[in-house]
Amino acid sequence: MKSAVETLNPTRVRLTVEVPFEELKDSLDAAYKKINQQVTVKGFRKGKIPARVIDQRFGRGAVLEEAVNDALPKFYTEAVNEAELNVLGQPEVDITELKDNETLNFTAEVDVRPAIEIPDYSGIEVEVDAIEVSDEDVDKAVEELRERFASTSPVERAAEDGDVVTIDLEAKVEGEVLEDGVASGVSYTIGSGELLEGIDEAVKGLEAGGEATFTSELKGGSAAGKESEVTVKVTQVAKRELPELDDDFAQLASEFDTLDELKADSRKRLENMKQYDQATQAQERVLEKLLELVEVPVPEKLLADEIQTRTHNLEHHQLGQMGLDLDKYLEIQGKSREEFDAETKEQAEKGIKTQFVLDELVNKEKLNVNQEELTEHLMRRAQSSGMSPDQFAQAVVEGGQVPMLVGEVARGKALAVVVEAATVKDTNGEVVDLEDEDEAEVAAAEGEQTEAAAPAEEKTEA
């Protein structure tokens, strides 16, 4: 087999391949064997039909077609490996010549990773937000924790802002009650904004047994986005009571004995979370600077596929779960379809460029991923997906996505190399030390888990 490579542009090549006919022998034998199993000829046992009979009855052309279809992937792969190409996607193959007992010639056009020259990135400088935690920030965090430990007790009066009301709802569209538009015993905190627009005004001033009707646009369900006439009936009004901010509260809501200790811990957690946010900001801004330094051509088909994938995932997964379609989403966002398409293209292009550049850095810096790093990444991905590590690992293996995870870890290490070489200063002009980034991430995650574990409401008093 002979092959040659022609560069069509920085991201696409054409392979020209010439295959001597004798190299098709194995595929021809396989073709005769396959046809033998599929046809019957009177006078011959199945699978024992001579090749000359198959040629006479079904045509030599059918055999050649089967043999070429079998052989092309193998010869294409050999040509790619011989040329040391890093191909992307499937090739467009064209058989240019096929002469029985003489030769098979074909061409294959395919996208390839562009050659990227990584410049000296040690001079990159970025600015990030300074880590500043005010007394107001601490007070807000403690107040949010206090809100989680609020108790409720029924009252015999009209509902007010901040009260927790138990309500029954019925939604009608064009006079018809929706099948999924009826709900009973719903608990709602007035002023939280967690239900329908207009419900606060409707329930305020109502006592238990009171009823009101209002018009609102439905956020989800079978009639999402439509104007609905909603009837709300209050079955109970309860007053929320916050615990006193004292040492007893600190002991109730945390492992600390005093309120001062709780506040000090809240300050530390906020600092850790801001430190993690600062490190993330540094990574994002260093990456932006790095991409500005590198010329990265993007394959047109790869870009089109990525745009299609992103749009499909948004439409059929994210929006679908919220009961929205793309048009409604764009209306809520205040964007035109043209603006959405332009943004999606920009994001897809940046994503592809980022992957190309970081992959090149992985090769340049000879970065490897060990089992411990892969396991830690898998654990984080499992946590963010809401699956157990075992479930996530099984899904990854069954989906053949282990190489994808390895690539993610390797690209993360490549970006860390660039960030380490860059100069990062905060808005106060101080050089930022990002060595404790991992510890900050762990501490921030622990803080989030601690807060998430707090009850939304203490038990309701009878």
Side-chain angles (χ1 to χ4, degrees):
M1 184 197 80
K2 294 180 182 179
S3 64
V5 181
E6 177 188 357
T7 300
L8 302 178
N9 61 49
T11 63
R12 194 165 180 83
V13 299
R14 179 188 293 123
L15 284 163
T16 301
V17 184
E18 298 179 9
V19 183
F21 206 81
E22 56 267 21
E23 293 187 30
L24 284 172
K25 183 179 183 307
D26 289 344
S27 294
L28 280 168
D29 292 342
Y32 279 117
K33 185 175 181 180
K34 182 177 180 179
I35 294 173
N36 242 309
Q37 299 299 323
Q38 294 175 338
V39 301
T40 57
V41 175
K42 190 175 181 180
F44 296 95
R45 285 181 297 163
K46 193 163 189 174
K48 299 296 182 179
I49 308 169
R52 60 179 176 78
V53 175
I54 290 177
D55 288 346
Q56 292 169 357
R57 290 293 185 93
F58 306 102
R60 174 71 166 177
V63 179
L64 288 175
E65 182 179 356
E66 183 66 41
V68 169
N69 287 338
D70 175 74
L72 276 178
K74 179 185 71 171
F75 291 122
Y76 165 73
T77 301
E78 286 182 11
V80 166
N81 292 337
E82 185 179 286
E84 298 181 342
L85 297 176
N86 197 338
V87 298
L88 302 166
Q90 296 300 312
E92 295 178 6
V93 178
D94 181 26
I95 297 173
T96 55
E97 187 175 19
L98 175 58
K99 290 185 178 179
D100 197 0
N101 291 313
E102 290 187 30
T103 187
L104 163 65
N105 298 336
F106 69 92
T107 62
E109 288 191 17
V110 65
D111 286 334
V112 294
R113 280 181 178 260
I116 298 174
E117 188 68 34
I118 303 295
D120 178 17
Y121 47 78
S122 61
I124 290 177
E125 294 185 10
V126 298
E127 184 180 74
V128 295
D129 295 335
I131 297 176
E132 296 174 346
V133 177
S134 66
D135 291 342
E136 289 75 15
D137 293 331
V138 175
D139 290 343
K140 182 180 178 183
V142 173
E143 188 63 27
E144 288 174 354
L145 185 60
R146 185 185 179 206
E147 290 278 348
R148 293 170 183 259
F149 282 86
S151 61
T152 58
S153 55
V155 291
E156 294 183 4
R157 58 163 173 76
E160 302 172 356
D161 266 328
D163 285 344
V164 178
V165 289
T166 304
I167 55 177
D168 297 336
L169 294 166
E170 181 184 82
K172 294 181 180 179
V173 173
E174 297 178 354
E176 296 291 329
V177 178
L178 301 170
E179 289 186 12
D180 55 354
V182 178
S184 301
V186 177
S187 180
Y188 176 67
T189 301
I190 299 176
S192 66
E194 294 174 351
L195 280 178
L196 298 168
E197 187 176 342
I199 193 169
D200 290 340
E201 292 74 12
V203 297
K204 275 192 292 189
L206 295 181
E207 298 184 17
E211 188 176 297
T213 300
F214 64 100
T215 301
S216 182
E217 183 179 298
L218 298 178
K219 294 181 180 179
S222 61
K226 292 185 178 180
E227 287 291 321
S228 172
E229 183 182 85
V230 182
T231 299
V232 56
K233 181 178 181 181
V234 176
T235 60
Q236 179 181 275
V237 179
K239 180 181 179 181
R240 296 179 78 249
E241 297 176 344
L242 297 174
E244 291 293 327
L245 275 179
D246 52 23
D247 293 346
D248 289 338
F249 169 69
Q251 294 167 21
L252 170 69
S254 70
E255 71 271 29
F256 301 105
D257 293 327
T258 68
L259 183 61
D260 287 343
E261 290 175 325
L262 173 60
K263 287 185 175 182
D265 181 71
S266 295
R267 182 180 295 275
K268 182 61 178 175
R269 291 183 184 279
L270 288 171
E271 288 173 351
N272 286 334
M273 284 188 277
K274 283 181 177 288
Q275 185 179 354
Y276 174 60
D277 291 342
Q278 186 187 65
T280 302
Q281 193 178 64
Q283 289 179 337
E284 292 172 350
R285 294 183 179 180
V286 168
L287 177 60
E288 292 281 355
K289 291 283 189 179
L290 178 63
L291 293 180
E292 290 174 7
L293 294 176
V294 187
E295 185 68 31
V296 187
V298 175
E300 290 182 9
K301 187 175 186 306
L302 181 64
L303 178 58
D305 290 344
E306 179 66 15
I307 292 171
Q308 183 180 17
T309 298
R310 287 172 180 253
T311 304
H312 177 85
N313 288 341
L314 176 66
E315 283 190 272
H316 299 281
H317 297 292
Q318 296 162 270
L319 297 182
Q321 293 176 354
M322 295 187 288
L324 297 174
D325 59 20
L326 185 56
D327 289 338
K328 189 61 186 177
Y329 168 76
L330 294 179
E331 181 183 328
I332 294 171
Q333 294 292 314
K335 296 178 183 176
S336 67
R337 181 59 193 252
E338 290 74 20
E339 290 172 329
F340 169 78
D341 289 342
E343 288 181 7
T344 304
K345 180 180 179 181
E346 182 180 352
Q347 293 164 359
E349 197 164 12
K350 181 181 177 182
I352 293 170
K353 288 182 176 181
T354 297
Q355 183 168 331
F356 284 174
V357 170
L358 295 182
D359 284 346
E360 184 63 30
L361 267 167
V362 169
N363 295 330
K364 180 180 179 180
E365 302 292 344
K366 297 180 173 55
L367 301 175
N368 295 311
V369 176
N370 60 41
Q371 186 60 49
E372 182 181 355
E373 291 168 334
L374 182 60
T375 301
E376 288 177 358
H377 183 64
L378 186 147
M379 298 281 282
R380 286 194 293 268
R381 286 288 303 271
Q383 186 178 15
S384 64
S385 70
M387 301 170 68
S388 72
D390 288 343
Q391 289 174 325
F392 187 79
Q394 182 178 354
V396 166
V397 172
E398 290 178 352
Q401 294 181 316
V402 173
M404 180 193 73
L405 288 188
V406 172
E408 289 176 355
V409 177
R411 286 190 283 273
K413 293 179 71 172
L415 180 55
V417 169
V418 183
V419 173
E420 185 178 353
T423 299
V424 181
K425 293 183 179 181
D426 66 20
T427 48
N428 294 329
E430 299 292 329
V431 175
V432 176
D433 182 4
L434 298 171
E435 289 184 1
D436 295 330
E437 173 190 337
D438 292 339
E439 289 78 0
E441 180 177 354
V442 172
E446 289 175 349
E448 290 169 0
Q449 291 169 4
T450 301
E451 291 184 4
E457 297 282 350
E458 275 291 280
K459 62 181 180 180
T460 302
E461 298 175 4

